[in-house]
Every structure is written in structure tokens, then in C-alpha cells.
Amino acid sequence: MGSSRFSLSVFGIPALLGLALLTGCSSSDADIQAKLPRTADAETLYNYGIDALHGGHYKLASSEFELLQQNFPYSGYTGSAELMEGYAYYLQGEYALSVQQLERYLQLHPTSPDAAYAYYLRGLCYYEQIGDVSRDQLGTLEAMDALQEVITRFPQTSYARDAQLKIDLCRDHLAGKEMFVGRYYQREKDYQAAYGRYQRVIQDFQTTNHVPEALERLVEVNLDLGLPDEARQAAAVLGYNAPDSRWYRLAYNKLKYNHQLTPQLPKPSRSEKKRERHDRKHHVMAPPPVQQGAPASPDSVIVQPVSTTQSAPVTSVEIPPAPTGNGKKSR
């Protein structure tokens, strides 16, 4: 590719600023298309598509980029049009079409400097389709795989950093799914099945916000299974890592109600209301989760850095918009 080809890097290249937030003009896509000349060269078609994106007419934009590819398959603008068509589909919420178009672009231009953005946008298409924790999470796994590919292929880019953030959110979402199923089993008094779900959260998703609740639920389940020692062990780990959390307060009171407290279990450091007032005043972050495989003894529990991921369900994160290309011809 020549130096005049536009790049999709977030830095140093003019972008469609605020493109995804535009509401569009009052004219319909059909009205606008009817006013366009019947014949146009590749550059004109490309600029029509860019103008449509600026105006929020994403369906019209994808049509213009598709028309360019059909009429001028060997034009210097064709590669850019292929990528921008995928972007236009993404803005329409047509994620399957966007993935199809982006994969076609990557197959035809595997070494393009814009490949990083194409992989990133492909990952976002999967990410935007993640379902509620009550639904099957195959889409979450697909999103994680697609986002991980961005990190693997382009580790030093801003796309990789944002992909990692979204993977963390996906992991939190998967942990939320395990908690959802675990609570169901617990309500149904299938304590062994519930135990397995909560244990998996602690072992496999230890950097998520669901770990304190999972430990408290293990206290409840172990008591229901007649395993007071295991219940106290779970409470000890929770108390060491999150002594001021509402989950440790619940676990402590549960053990107290069942006459299973021991001197080794400290009292909750402050009441829930005091904790909330303290947090609001001092902006205290959530307590850190326990380390995977950490022993139950509080003396040997290793505290990990505080996780900054958001809790499930996953919400959409604003992405850097694709650039316009400024009407420049790609070579």
C-alpha cells in the first residue's frame, strides 16, 4: 500500500467524529439516493458513502460502498470501500453482515495497515451480541475469542488495550452466569450442584466482582450440607479479603445463627450503613478477590490487586469511529 492510503489508527488520522451518535437528516435514504447522479466514478461513489455516514444514513452508505465494489472492482478505492461497508453494517446493528464483510476484507487484504481495525471491529460485532446471563453464553465465548485475536495479532495497539477491557467484562459476564445458575440450584436445594458453580467462580473467575458473593454462598451451601468446617473456611477467606463487605457480614451472621462461630473469625469491620458512608466519603474501591488456589487459612491468603472491571451484564462501550479517508485514493 502507498503512503496516501488512509489508516484506521486512532491516532493522527482524521476520524468520523461522533459518527455513531448522529441522528441523521430528515430526508430518507431513498430521497437522498434519488437525487444522486445516475453515473459516477469510483471516487465520487466513495465520497457519497462517506457523506451518507456523516449524515447518519448508514444503510445508504453501505449501498454506495457496495455499488463502488461492483462497478469498479479494481479501483484504488475498492479496498477502503470494503472496509467502510463493514463499518456501516456495524452502525446499523447488522452484525452478521458486518462480520461477513470484514472477514472478506481480511481475506483479500491480510497485510493491510487497517487489518488491526478490521479485526477489532469484527470482535465488537460479537461483543455487541452478548446475551443476558439467563441465556446461553456461547456468544460471550465467541466474543472473547475474537477479541483475543486482536490482542494476539496487534498487542501494542490501542485496539488491543480496549479488547482486553472487553475481555475482562466478558469474564465478569461468564461469572455472573455461573452465579445465576448456582442460585437456581441452591433454591432447588441441589446443594452439590450449587457448590460446583460457586467454586468455579472462585477458581476460574477470581478477578471478577462476583467472588465475594460466591464465597458467602459457599458458607450457606456448606451449612446446608452439614459441613460446618468448610463453611468456616469459606468465611475465613472472605473475611480476610473483604472484611468490610456486605457479603462477609451475611456470612458471619449466618454462622452465628447456626452456632458455628469460632474465635478465629473476626467480626465484620463495620456495619453496612457505616461502610456505605465511608465508601462514599473516601471513594473506597471494591475489596480484592482471593487468589486462585489460596488456602482457607487467613494467614496464608494472598491478596491480589483490586479488579476494576465492571459487573455484569455487559454494556456497550463506545468505540473509536472509523476514519473517512478524506476522499483519498488507496493504492
Side-chain angles (χ1 to χ4, degrees):
M1 301 288 179
S3 60
S4 64
R5 175 174 173 75
F6 74 85
S7 172
L8 291 177
S9 170
V10 177
F11 306 103
I13 301 297
L16 296 179
L17 299 176
L19 178 60
L21 302 178
L22 293 176
T23 58
C25 304
S26 57
S27 301
S28 67
D29 289 359
D31 293 337
I32 296 175
Q33 195 164 29
K35 297 177 182 178
L36 297 178
R38 294 298 181 183
T39 60
D41 57 22
E43 180 180 2
T44 302
L45 287 173
Y46 184 80
N47 288 330
Y48 283 160
I50 294 299
D51 290 342
L53 285 177
H54 273 298
H57 300 282
Y58 307 136
K59 186 174 182 180
L60 174 60
S62 60
S63 298
E64 293 300 312
F65 293 132
E66 176 65 24
L67 185 61
L68 189 159
Q69 296 167 60
Q70 292 175 353
N71 292 344
F72 304 96
Y74 304 108
S75 167
Y77 290 92
T78 302
S80 299
E82 291 166 354
L83 183 54
M84 297 304 287
E85 182 181 359
Y87 182 55
Y89 284 139
Y90 172 82
L91 294 176
Q92 295 175 54
E94 295 285 356
Y95 301 122
L97 288 175
S98 182
V99 168
Q100 181 180 3
Q101 181 66 20
L102 292 168
E103 290 180 343
R104 177 172 177 266
Y105 172 82
L106 289 168
Q107 184 178 10
L108 294 173
H109 312 281
T111 61
S112 166
D114 298 328
Y117 185 84
Y119 276 105
Y120 172 71
L121 189 58
R122 175 176 170 269
L124 292 190
C125 288
Y126 287 109
Y127 180 81
E128 296 290 355
Q129 298 179 80
I130 292 176
D132 184 79
V133 294
S134 63
R135 300 179 179 274
D136 179 78
Q137 293 302 300
L138 177 61
T140 307
L141 297 174
E142 290 177 338
M144 291 178 67
D145 289 342
L147 292 166
Q148 183 60 51
E149 191 166 8
V150 178
I151 297 172
T152 301
R153 289 177 178 270
F154 312 99
Q156 303 303 319
T157 65
S158 58
Y159 305 124
R161 292 190 290 273
D162 192 63
Q164 184 59 62
L165 171 63
K166 290 176 172 61
I167 287 176
D168 291 341
L169 293 172
C170 288
R171 288 179 57 79
D172 196 87
H173 200 68
L174 292 175
K177 174 66 174 184
E178 294 297 318
M179 294 300 299
F180 178 83
V181 177
R183 294 188 207 102
Y184 169 79
Y185 284 136
Q186 189 175 359
R187 288 194 300 270
E188 297 297 313
K189 302 186 185 303
D190 189 348
Y191 299 122
Q192 288 286 0
Y195 179 94
R197 296 289 179 161
Y198 299 145
Q199 190 67 26
R200 188 184 176 209
V201 171
I202 297 168
Q203 293 179 347
D204 297 344
F205 302 102
Q206 59 182 267
T207 58
T208 69
N209 294 324
H210 296 279
V211 171
E213 181 187 356
L215 285 165
E216 191 279 330
R217 298 287 181 182
L218 281 182
V219 173
E220 298 179 7
V221 169
N222 280 314
L223 288 174
D224 289 328
L225 289 171
L227 301 170
D229 290 341
E230 286 78 359
R232 285 191 290 267
Q233 289 174 355
V237 175
L238 176 57
Y240 184 84
N241 286 274
D244 61 343
S245 70
R246 65 183 293 262
W247 297 112
Y248 180 60
R249 185 166 180 246
L250 289 171
Y252 185 91
N253 290 337
K254 193 74 169 180
L255 290 169
K256 182 178 180 180
Y257 178 81
N258 286 273
H259 308 289
Q260 296 298 332
L261 284 178
T262 63
Q264 288 73 29
L265 284 173
K267 292 183 179 180
S269 59
R270 55 175 61 90
S271 68
E272 180 71 8
K273 289 184 178 180
K274 287 183 178 179
R275 182 186 66 82
E276 290 177 353
R277 288 198 298 268
H278 182 274
D279 287 358
R280 286 195 298 269
K281 181 178 179 181
H282 299 285
H283 305 287
V284 176
M285 298 179 70
V290 298
Q291 184 185 41
Q292 181 176 358
S297 172
D299 294 334
S300 55
V301 171
I302 301 175
V303 179
Q304 293 186 336
V306 176
S307 170
T308 58
T309 58
Q310 302 175 17
S311 58
V314 172
T315 56
S316 300
V317 178
E318 185 176 354
I319 67 167
T324 67
N326 295 327
K328 292 183 180 180
K329 184 177 180 180
S330 60
R331 306 186 192 280

